[in-house]
Protein backbone atom coordinates (compact mmCIF):
# COMPACT_ATOMS: atom_id res chain seq x y z
CA UNK A 1 0.00 0.00 0.00
CA UNK A 2 2.80 2.34 0.97
CA UNK A 3 4.46 1.68 -2.34
CA UNK A 4 1.29 2.35 -4.31
CA UNK A 5 0.74 5.72 -2.55
CA UNK A 6 4.33 6.70 -3.15
CA UNK A 7 3.97 5.74 -6.79
CA UNK A 8 0.79 7.78 -7.21
CA UNK A 9 2.20 10.90 -5.53
CA UNK A 10 5.43 10.91 -7.45
CA UNK A 11 3.81 10.54 -10.84
CA UNK A 12 0.68 12.58 -10.18
CA UNK A 13 1.76 15.33 -7.78
CA UNK A 14 -1.44 17.27 -8.55
CA UNK A 15 -3.27 14.66 -6.50
CA UNK A 16 -1.82 16.22 -3.35
CA UNK A 17 -1.41 19.84 -4.46
CA UNK A 18 -4.57 20.64 -6.32
CA UNK A 19 -4.93 24.17 -4.91
CA UNK A 20 -4.76 27.11 -7.33
CA UNK A 21 -1.85 29.53 -7.36
CA UNK A 22 -2.20 32.78 -5.47
CA UNK A 23 -0.74 36.14 -6.55
CA UNK A 24 -0.47 39.37 -4.57
CA UNK A 25 0.80 42.68 -5.91
CA UNK A 26 2.00 44.95 -3.11
CA UNK A 27 2.15 48.69 -3.86
CA UNK A 28 3.82 50.69 -1.07
CA UNK A 29 5.36 54.20 -1.19
CA UNK A 30 8.83 52.74 -0.71
CA UNK A 31 10.59 49.42 -0.34
CA UNK A 32 13.48 48.65 1.98
CA UNK A 33 14.90 45.52 0.35
CA UNK A 34 17.09 44.54 3.31
CA UNK A 35 19.97 46.74 2.17
CA UNK A 36 18.72 49.95 0.56
CA UNK A 37 15.59 52.03 0.23
CA UNK A 38 13.80 52.27 -3.13
CA UNK A 39 10.90 54.31 -4.41
CA UNK A 40 8.72 53.34 -7.35
CA UNK A 41 8.99 49.65 -6.52
CA UNK A 42 6.28 47.02 -6.40
CA UNK A 43 6.51 43.49 -5.08
CA UNK A 44 4.77 40.49 -6.61
CA UNK A 45 4.18 37.44 -4.42
CA UNK A 46 3.46 34.06 -5.98
CA UNK A 47 2.27 31.46 -3.43
CA UNK A 48 4.90 31.54 -0.66
CA UNK A 49 7.71 33.16 -2.67
CA UNK A 50 8.67 36.59 -3.91
CA UNK A 51 8.21 36.47 -7.69
CA UNK A 52 9.39 39.98 -8.55
CA UNK A 53 10.58 43.16 -6.84
CA UNK A 54 11.38 46.38 -8.62
CA UNK A 55 9.71 48.59 -11.18
CA UNK A 56 6.44 47.40 -12.62
CA UNK A 57 7.43 46.21 -16.10
CA UNK A 58 5.48 43.01 -16.55
CA UNK A 59 1.92 41.90 -17.19
CA UNK A 60 -0.01 40.99 -14.08
CA UNK A 61 -0.98 37.34 -13.83
CA UNK A 62 -4.74 36.77 -13.86
CA UNK A 63 -6.38 36.65 -10.42
CA UNK A 64 -3.73 38.86 -8.83
CA UNK A 65 -4.97 40.60 -5.73
CA UNK A 66 -3.61 44.17 -5.61
CA UNK A 67 -2.88 45.54 -2.15
CA UNK A 68 -2.33 49.29 -1.96
CA UNK A 69 -0.06 50.30 0.89
CA UNK A 70 -0.20 54.05 0.43
CA UNK A 71 2.08 56.01 2.75
CA UNK A 72 3.77 52.80 3.85
CA UNK A 73 7.26 51.35 3.69
CA UNK A 74 7.52 47.69 2.80
CA UNK A 75 10.30 45.65 4.42
CA UNK A 76 11.46 42.05 4.71
CA UNK A 77 9.85 40.38 7.74
CA UNK A 78 11.96 41.38 10.74
CA UNK A 79 14.27 38.81 12.33
CA UNK A 80 14.55 38.84 16.12
CA UNK A 81 18.10 37.73 16.86
CA UNK A 82 17.74 36.85 20.54
CA UNK A 83 14.40 35.78 21.97
CA UNK A 84 13.17 33.52 24.75
CA UNK A 85 9.59 32.63 23.87
CA UNK A 86 9.43 30.51 27.04
CA UNK A 87 10.11 33.45 29.35
CA UNK A 88 7.99 36.44 30.28
CA UNK A 89 9.05 39.74 31.91
CA UNK A 90 10.83 39.32 35.23
CA UNK A 91 8.83 42.12 36.85
CA UNK A 92 5.80 39.84 36.42
CA UNK A 93 7.48 36.69 37.80
CA UNK A 94 11.18 36.38 38.65
CA UNK A 95 13.32 34.15 36.43
CA UNK A 96 13.89 31.76 39.35
CA UNK A 97 10.14 31.37 39.90
CA UNK A 98 9.41 30.90 36.21
CA UNK A 99 11.91 28.03 36.11
CA UNK A 100 10.88 26.46 39.43
CA UNK A 101 7.20 27.25 39.92
CA UNK A 102 5.62 27.36 36.48
CA UNK A 103 4.73 23.99 34.94
CA UNK A 104 5.90 23.09 31.46
CA UNK A 105 2.25 23.22 30.33
CA UNK A 106 1.85 26.75 31.65
CA UNK A 107 5.10 27.82 30.05
CA UNK A 108 4.08 26.36 26.70
CA UNK A 109 0.68 28.06 26.89
CA UNK A 110 2.45 31.36 27.48
CA UNK A 111 4.89 30.67 24.63
CA UNK A 112 1.96 30.16 22.23
CA UNK A 113 0.65 33.63 23.12
CA UNK A 114 4.16 35.12 22.84
CA UNK A 115 4.64 33.58 19.39
CA UNK A 116 1.44 35.20 18.13
CA UNK A 117 2.26 38.67 19.46
CA UNK A 118 5.78 38.42 18.02
CA UNK A 119 4.48 37.70 14.53
CA UNK A 120 1.87 40.47 14.67
CA UNK A 121 4.63 42.93 15.66
CA UNK A 122 6.28 42.19 12.30
CA UNK A 123 8.90 39.69 13.46
CA UNK A 124 8.46 36.78 11.07
CA UNK A 125 11.52 34.89 12.36
CA UNK A 126 13.07 34.49 15.79
CA UNK A 127 16.37 32.96 16.79
CA UNK A 128 15.34 31.60 20.19
CA UNK A 129 18.24 31.39 22.63
CA UNK A 130 17.06 28.65 24.96
CA UNK A 131 13.98 27.39 26.79
CA UNK A 132 15.42 28.12 30.27
CA UNK A 133 14.20 24.97 31.97
CA UNK A 134 11.50 23.99 29.47
CA UNK A 135 13.74 21.31 27.93
CA UNK A 136 13.15 20.77 24.18
CA UNK A 137 9.74 22.41 24.06
CA UNK A 138 10.97 25.04 21.58
CA UNK A 139 11.19 22.25 19.01
CA UNK A 140 7.56 21.31 19.63
CA UNK A 141 6.46 24.95 19.45
CA UNK A 142 8.33 25.38 16.17
CA UNK A 143 6.68 22.24 14.78
CA UNK A 144 3.20 23.44 15.80
CA UNK A 145 3.84 26.74 13.99
CA UNK A 146 5.16 24.98 10.88
CA UNK A 147 2.12 22.68 10.81
CA UNK A 148 -0.17 25.71 11.06
CA UNK A 149 -1.68 24.62 14.38
CA UNK A 150 -0.86 28.02 15.89
CA UNK A 151 0.42 31.26 14.36
CA UNK A 152 3.91 32.46 15.11
CA UNK A 153 7.25 33.34 13.58
CA UNK A 154 9.68 30.95 11.95
CA UNK A 155 11.83 29.62 14.76
CA UNK A 156 15.56 28.92 14.79
CA UNK A 157 16.03 26.97 18.02
CA UNK A 158 18.80 25.72 20.31
CA UNK A 159 16.71 23.73 22.86
CA UNK A 160 18.57 24.01 26.20
CA UNK A 161 21.55 26.28 26.66
CA UNK A 162 24.70 24.49 27.84
CA UNK A 163 26.39 25.62 31.05
CA UNK A 164 29.36 24.47 33.12
CA UNK A 165 28.24 22.45 36.15
CA UNK A 166 27.33 24.80 38.96
CA UNK A 167 27.60 27.87 36.73
CA UNK A 168 23.92 28.76 36.32
CA UNK A 169 20.66 29.06 38.23
CA UNK A 170 18.36 28.92 40.03
CA UNK A 171 20.62 29.19 43.09
CA UNK A 172 19.69 30.17 46.63
CA UNK A 173 23.11 30.20 48.35
CA UNK A 174 22.24 27.03 50.23
CA UNK A 175 24.83 24.30 49.78
CA UNK A 176 22.24 21.66 50.72
CA UNK A 177 19.94 22.45 47.80
CA UNK A 178 20.15 20.74 44.43
CA UNK A 179 17.60 22.56 42.31
CA UNK A 180 16.51 21.86 38.74
CA UNK A 181 18.55 24.16 36.49
CA UNK A 182 17.54 26.47 33.65
CA UNK A 183 20.04 24.86 31.24
CA UNK A 184 21.97 21.63 30.62
CA UNK A 185 24.97 21.22 32.93
CA UNK A 186 28.20 19.61 31.77
CA UNK A 187 31.36 18.88 33.73
CA UNK A 188 34.02 18.28 31.11
CA UNK A 189 34.71 18.12 27.38
CA UNK A 190 33.19 14.66 26.93
CA UNK A 191 29.96 15.68 28.65
CA UNK A 192 29.88 18.85 26.57
CA UNK A 193 30.20 16.88 23.34
CA UNK A 194 27.64 14.38 24.54
CA UNK A 195 25.15 17.14 25.32
CA UNK A 196 25.65 18.70 21.89
CA UNK A 197 24.92 15.33 20.25
CA UNK A 198 21.75 14.93 22.33
CA UNK A 199 20.53 18.44 21.46
CA UNK A 200 21.15 17.86 17.77
CA UNK A 201 19.12 14.64 17.94
CA UNK A 202 16.29 16.54 19.66
CA UNK A 203 16.09 19.19 16.92
CA UNK A 204 18.54 21.98 17.80
CA UNK A 205 19.33 24.26 14.83
CA UNK A 206 22.33 25.73 16.68
CA UNK A 207 24.03 25.36 20.06
CA UNK A 208 24.24 27.97 22.82
CA UNK A 209 26.95 27.86 25.46
CA UNK A 210 27.45 30.11 28.49
CA UNK A 211 31.14 30.96 28.04
CA UNK A 212 31.07 32.88 31.30
CA UNK A 213 28.81 33.41 34.27
CA UNK A 214 28.90 35.12 37.65
CA UNK A 215 31.18 32.51 39.21
CA UNK A 216 34.09 34.85 40.00
CA UNK A 217 35.36 34.95 43.58
CA UNK A 218 33.39 38.14 44.21
CA UNK A 219 30.39 37.20 42.10
CA UNK A 220 31.77 38.80 38.94
CA UNK A 221 31.49 37.17 35.49
CA UNK A 222 34.34 34.69 34.99
CA UNK A 223 35.03 32.16 32.21
CA UNK A 224 33.19 28.85 32.59
CA UNK A 225 34.93 26.84 29.85
CA UNK A 226 38.46 26.53 28.51
CA UNK A 227 39.42 27.44 24.95
CA UNK A 228 39.98 23.71 24.27
CA UNK A 229 36.47 22.84 25.41
CA UNK A 230 34.95 25.60 23.28
CA UNK A 231 37.07 24.53 20.29
CA UNK A 232 35.81 20.96 20.62
CA UNK A 233 32.22 22.25 20.72
CA UNK A 234 32.74 24.40 17.62
CA UNK A 235 34.32 21.51 15.69
CA UNK A 236 31.50 19.12 16.57
CA UNK A 237 28.70 21.59 15.79
CA UNK A 238 30.39 22.73 12.57
CA UNK A 239 30.72 19.20 11.25
CA UNK A 240 26.92 18.99 11.30
CA UNK A 241 26.48 22.44 9.75
CA UNK A 242 25.51 24.10 13.02
CA UNK A 243 26.80 27.19 14.79
CA UNK A 244 28.01 27.63 18.35
CA UNK A 245 26.88 30.91 19.87
CA UNK A 246 28.00 32.05 23.28
CA UNK A 247 26.69 34.10 26.12
CA UNK A 248 29.63 36.25 27.28
CA UNK A 249 29.78 39.50 29.20
CA UNK A 250 33.42 39.44 30.34
CA UNK A 251 36.31 40.32 28.05
CA UNK A 252 38.02 36.99 28.83
CA UNK A 253 34.84 34.97 28.14
CA UNK A 254 34.54 36.76 24.80
CA UNK A 255 38.23 36.27 24.01
CA UNK A 256 38.01 32.51 24.54
CA UNK A 257 34.96 32.27 22.31
CA UNK A 258 36.68 34.29 19.61
CA UNK A 259 39.74 32.03 19.72
CA UNK A 260 37.48 28.98 19.47
CA UNK A 261 35.68 30.42 16.42
CA UNK A 262 32.10 30.83 17.61
CA UNK A 263 29.51 32.43 15.29
CA UNK A 264 28.04 35.12 17.51
CA UNK A 265 28.68 36.60 20.94
CA UNK A 266 25.56 37.49 22.93
CA UNK A 267 25.60 40.58 25.20
CA UNK A 268 29.36 41.37 25.11
CA UNK A 269 28.95 44.09 27.74
CA UNK A 270 32.63 44.39 28.58
CA UNK A 271 33.99 44.14 25.08
CA UNK A 272 37.03 46.37 24.57
CA UNK A 273 38.60 47.86 21.44
CA UNK A 274 41.06 44.97 21.44
CA UNK A 275 38.28 42.36 21.77
CA UNK A 276 36.25 43.93 18.95
CA UNK A 277 39.37 44.03 16.77
CA UNK A 278 39.75 40.26 17.27
CA UNK A 279 36.05 39.73 16.46
CA UNK A 280 36.46 41.76 13.30
CA UNK A 281 39.48 39.69 12.24
CA UNK A 282 37.57 36.44 12.71
CA UNK A 283 34.26 37.70 11.31
CA UNK A 284 32.36 37.07 14.54
CA UNK A 285 29.15 39.06 15.05
CA UNK A 286 27.92 40.76 18.20
CA UNK A 287 24.32 40.53 19.40
CA UNK A 288 24.23 43.39 21.92
CA UNK A 289 20.87 42.92 23.78
CA UNK A 290 20.70 46.57 24.86
CA UNK A 291 17.02 46.32 25.78
CA UNK A 292 17.51 43.52 28.30
CA UNK A 293 20.35 45.42 29.96
CA UNK A 294 18.09 48.41 30.50
CA UNK A 295 15.12 46.26 31.56
CA UNK A 296 17.13 44.60 34.37
CA UNK A 297 18.07 47.99 35.77
CA UNK A 298 14.48 49.22 35.54
CA UNK A 299 13.22 46.13 37.42
CA UNK A 300 15.79 47.03 40.08
CA UNK A 301 14.32 50.49 40.50
CA UNK A 302 15.99 52.67 37.86
CA UNK A 303 13.49 55.27 36.60
CA UNK A 304 14.63 55.81 33.03
CA UNK A 305 14.47 59.45 32.00
CA UNK A 306 14.27 60.60 35.62
CA UNK A 307 17.28 59.07 37.43
CA UNK A 308 20.82 59.32 36.08
CA UNK A 309 21.87 56.32 33.99
CA UNK A 310 23.27 53.50 36.16
CA UNK A 311 26.94 52.49 35.66
CA UNK A 312 26.01 49.36 33.67
CA UNK A 313 24.08 51.45 31.11
CA UNK A 314 26.86 54.04 30.89
CA UNK A 315 29.34 51.21 30.38
CA UNK A 316 27.17 49.55 27.73
CA UNK A 317 26.89 52.82 25.78
CA UNK A 318 30.69 53.01 25.79
CA UNK A 319 31.30 49.42 24.70
CA UNK A 320 28.57 49.61 22.04
CA UNK A 321 30.17 52.78 20.63
CA UNK A 322 33.50 50.92 20.47
CA UNK A 323 31.76 48.01 18.72
CA UNK A 324 30.27 50.31 16.05
CA UNK A 325 33.62 52.04 15.56
CA UNK A 326 35.44 48.72 15.14
CA UNK A 327 33.28 47.88 12.11
CA UNK A 328 32.21 44.44 13.39
CA UNK A 329 28.93 42.93 12.27
CA UNK A 330 26.14 43.84 14.69
CA UNK A 331 23.00 41.71 14.91
CA UNK A 332 19.66 42.91 16.22
CA UNK A 333 18.58 40.88 19.22
CA UNK A 334 17.09 42.28 22.41
CA UNK A 335 16.83 39.22 24.71
CA UNK A 336 13.06 39.67 24.49
CA UNK A 337 11.29 37.64 27.12
CA UNK A 338 13.20 39.58 29.76
CA UNK A 339 10.79 42.27 28.51
CA UNK A 340 7.44 41.90 26.73
CA UNK A 341 7.09 39.78 23.59
CA UNK A 342 5.77 41.92 20.76
CA UNK A 343 7.79 44.86 22.09
CA UNK A 344 10.85 43.62 20.14
CA UNK A 345 11.20 47.04 18.46
CA UNK A 346 12.53 48.36 21.76
CA UNK A 347 15.96 46.98 20.84
CA UNK A 348 15.90 48.70 17.45
CA UNK A 349 15.07 52.04 19.06
CA UNK A 350 17.87 51.63 21.59
CA UNK A 351 20.39 50.74 18.89
CA UNK A 352 19.66 54.13 17.34
CA UNK A 353 19.72 55.81 20.75
CA UNK A 354 23.14 54.21 21.44
CA UNK A 355 24.63 55.49 18.19
CA UNK A 356 23.64 53.42 15.13
CA UNK A 357 22.04 54.90 12.03
CA UNK A 358 18.39 53.83 11.54
CA UNK A 359 19.17 52.33 8.11
CA UNK A 360 21.92 50.19 9.68
CA UNK A 361 19.54 49.01 12.38
CA UNK A 362 17.04 48.01 9.66
CA UNK A 363 19.83 46.07 7.93
CA UNK A 364 20.80 44.35 11.19
CA UNK A 365 17.17 43.32 11.71
CA UNK A 366 16.81 41.80 8.23
CA UNK A 367 19.67 40.96 5.84
CA UNK A 368 22.46 40.97 8.45
CA UNK A 369 20.65 38.62 10.84
CA UNK A 370 19.72 36.31 7.94
CA UNK A 371 23.34 36.22 6.73
CA UNK A 372 24.89 35.76 10.17
CA UNK A 373 22.49 32.99 11.21
CA UNK A 374 22.95 31.16 7.89
CA UNK A 375 19.54 31.76 6.27
CA UNK A 376 20.37 34.21 3.48
CA UNK A 377 18.85 32.01 0.75
CA UNK A 378 15.44 32.04 2.44
CA UNK A 379 14.77 35.22 4.40
CA UNK A 380 16.00 38.73 5.23
CA UNK A 381 15.60 40.42 1.83
CA UNK A 382 12.94 41.49 -0.63
CA UNK A 383 14.36 39.57 -3.54
CA UNK A 384 13.13 37.18 -6.21
CA UNK A 385 12.81 33.58 -5.06
CA UNK A 386 13.10 34.32 -1.35
CA UNK A 387 10.27 33.33 0.97
CA UNK A 388 7.42 35.84 1.06
CA UNK A 389 8.01 37.14 4.59
CA UNK A 390 7.00 40.78 4.13
CA UNK A 391 5.77 43.55 6.39
CA UNK A 392 4.72 47.16 5.92
CA UNK A 393 4.74 50.10 8.32
CA UNK A 394 3.29 53.58 8.09
CA UNK A 395 5.91 56.23 7.35
CA UNK A 396 9.62 55.76 6.78
CA UNK A 397 11.52 53.88 9.55
CA UNK A 398 14.87 54.86 8.00
CA UNK A 399 14.01 58.48 8.83
CA UNK A 400 12.47 57.73 12.25
CA UNK A 401 13.03 54.26 13.68
CA UNK A 402 9.91 54.45 15.87
CA UNK A 403 7.86 54.06 12.67
CA UNK A 404 8.84 50.37 12.78
CA UNK A 405 6.08 49.97 15.39
CA UNK A 406 3.37 51.22 12.99
CA UNK A 407 2.67 47.82 11.48
CA UNK A 408 -0.08 47.78 8.84
CA UNK A 409 0.73 44.54 7.05
CA UNK A 410 2.27 41.20 8.01
CA UNK A 411 2.78 38.35 5.57
CA UNK A 412 4.66 35.16 6.39
CA UNK A 413 5.27 32.41 3.87
CA UNK A 414 2.84 34.14 1.50
CA UNK A 415 0.02 34.13 4.03
CA UNK A 416 -1.41 37.41 5.38
CA UNK A 417 -1.61 37.61 9.18
CA UNK A 418 -2.36 41.32 9.51
CA UNK A 419 -3.79 43.84 7.10
CA UNK A 420 -4.94 47.27 8.23
CA UNK A 421 -7.39 48.66 5.69
ZN1 LIG B 1 19.07 35.42 26.50
Amino acid sequence: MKFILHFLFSFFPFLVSAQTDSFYLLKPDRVFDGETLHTGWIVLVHNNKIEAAGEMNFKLPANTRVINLKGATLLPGLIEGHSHLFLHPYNEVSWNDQVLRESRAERTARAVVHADSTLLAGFTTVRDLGTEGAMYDDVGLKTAIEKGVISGPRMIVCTRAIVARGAYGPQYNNADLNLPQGAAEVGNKEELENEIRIQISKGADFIKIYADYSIGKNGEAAPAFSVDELKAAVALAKSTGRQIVIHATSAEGMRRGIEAGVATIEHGDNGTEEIFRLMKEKGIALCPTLAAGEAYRQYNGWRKGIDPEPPSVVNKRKSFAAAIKSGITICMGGDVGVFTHGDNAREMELMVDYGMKPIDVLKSSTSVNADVFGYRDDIGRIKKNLLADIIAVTGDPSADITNIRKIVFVMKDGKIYKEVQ
Side-chain angles (χ1 to χ4, degrees):
M1 187 59 191
K2 227 177 180 176
F3 170 77
I4 295 170
L5 275 178
H6 179 74
F7 174 85
L8 279 175
F9 287 165
S10 44
F11 285 89
F12 303 99
F14 53 84
L15 285 177
V16 279
S17 63
Q19 81 202 65
T20 50
D21 284 3
S22 76
F23 289 94
Y24 290 102
L25 182 75
L26 309 175
K27 296 174 75 178
D29 274 16
R30 51 196 97 66
V31 173
F32 172 71
D33 67 1
E35 290 171 9
T36 43
L37 200 68
H38 307 271
T39 50
W41 271 36
I42 54 84
V43 175
L44 181 69
V45 173
H46 177 200
N47 295 336
N48 72 331
K49 294 261 179 78
I50 296 168
E51 174 87 11
E55 278 164 25
M56 178 87 193
N57 53 10
F58 51 86
K59 237 184 104 198
L60 269 191
N63 305 322
T64 300
R65 192 184 146 208
V66 178
I67 299 179
N68 281 303
L69 295 159
K70 207 166 164 32
T73 304
L74 191 130
L75 305 98
L78 303 171
I79 302 170
E80 168 61 56
H82 189 135
S83 71
H84 294 281
L85 289 180
F86 285 84
L87 289 174
H88 59 102
Y90 302 170
N91 59 341
E92 297 171 6
V93 178
S94 73
W95 181 86
N96 277 1
D97 281 356
Q98 291 186 45
V99 174
L100 295 176
R101 304 178 75 169
E102 290 180 353
S103 67
R104 298 255 300 274
E106 177 183 345
R107 297 189 67 189
T108 300
R110 288 180 181 276
V112 168
V113 176
H114 299 156
D116 188 56
S117 44
T118 301
L119 180 61
L120 293 180
F123 291 78
T124 53
T125 300
V126 298
R127 184 179 66 148
D128 205 70
L129 271 277
T131 59
E132 308 286 318
M135 301 302 285
Y136 312 101
D137 293 347
D138 51 351
V139 178
L141 185 71
K142 172 183 169 170
T143 305
I145 292 169
E146 283 176 353
K147 288 181 177 174
V149 180
I150 58 167
S151 73
R154 298 179 194 281
M155 290 181 70
I156 306 168
V157 300
C158 69
T159 72
R160 315 169 75 192
I162 300 177
V163 296
R165 181 153 294 121
Y168 206 48
Q171 282 174 11
Y172 283 101
N173 298 321
N174 178 345
D176 304 326
L177 282 180
N178 283 310
L179 295 167
Q181 293 292 288
E185 294 186 290
V186 297
N188 55 43
K189 193 163 85 180
E190 285 65 39
E191 287 183 15
L192 173 60
E193 290 171 329
N194 192 42
E195 182 59 32
I196 291 172
R197 291 190 168 99
I198 291 170
Q199 295 189 358
I200 288 172
S201 79
K202 300 288 187 185
D205 298 311
F206 70 99
I207 304 294
K208 180 192 183 186
I209 297 175
Y210 276 73
D212 61 21
Y213 200 68
S214 52
I215 51 173
K217 197 175 167 197
N218 301 305
E220 72 278 18
F225 290 99
S226 67
V227 174
D228 276 352
E229 288 167 331
L230 293 174
K231 272 188 176 163
V234 169
L236 178 56
K238 228 181 203 169
S239 68
T240 68
R242 290 175 176 81
Q243 297 179 336
I244 295 284
V245 316
I246 55 163
H247 161 113
T249 58
S250 68
E252 177 59 15
M254 294 174 78
R255 194 194 62 74
R256 293 187 187 188
I258 295 163
E259 196 177 334
V262 303
T264 67
I265 295 178
E266 308 300 308
H267 316 301
D269 292 8
N270 293 296
T272 60
E273 268 178 42
E274 168 68 5
I275 290 290
F276 294 132
R277 190 182 59 74
L278 293 172
M279 286 177 74
K280 171 94 178 154
E281 265 175 35
K282 283 230 178 181
I284 296 168
L286 174 73
C287 188
T289 69
L290 308 174
E294 289 210 355
Y296 288 126
R297 298 288 84 76
Q298 285 170 286
Y299 300 158
N300 287 330
W302 173 45
R303 294 168 304 168
K304 185 175 163 138
I306 299 170
D307 300 331
E309 291 193 329
S312 66
V313 172
V314 173
N315 177 61
K316 186 72 180 177
R317 279 190 188 277
K318 242 172 71 185
S319 75
F320 190 65
I324 296 170
K325 203 172 154 215
S326 73
I328 57 166
T329 303
I330 298 177
C331 295
M332 193 289 291
D335 215 351
V336 61
V338 174
F339 56 99
T340 311
H341 292 284
D343 194 22
N344 311 58
R346 201 192 285 194
E347 179 74 8
M348 300 173 73
E349 291 166 348
L350 286 178
M351 288 168 89
V352 172
D353 183 37
Y354 282 43
M356 260 175 102
K357 290 194 195 88
I359 191 86
D360 290 334
V361 173
L362 295 176
K363 279 189 220 173
S364 285
S365 315
T366 54
S367 58
V368 170
N369 273 1
D371 293 353
V372 171
F373 306 156
Y375 293 82
R376 68 173 296 150
D377 293 337
D378 300 315
I379 55 172
R381 286 177 177 81
I382 302 289
K383 193 176 149 191
K384 185 175 162 63
N385 290 330
L386 262 60
L387 294 168
D389 289 4
I390 298 169
I391 65 163
V393 300
T394 303
D396 179 359
S398 75
D400 177 358
I401 197 69
T402 63
N403 285 329
I404 203 67
R405 292 180 179 274
K406 298 175 185 161
I407 300 281
V408 290
F409 182 79
V410 177
M411 171 183 273
K412 191 193 93 182
D413 212 37
K415 187 177 164 199
I416 297 171
Y417 288 86
K418 178 172 185 166
E419 189 180 0
V420 178
Q421 297 290 347

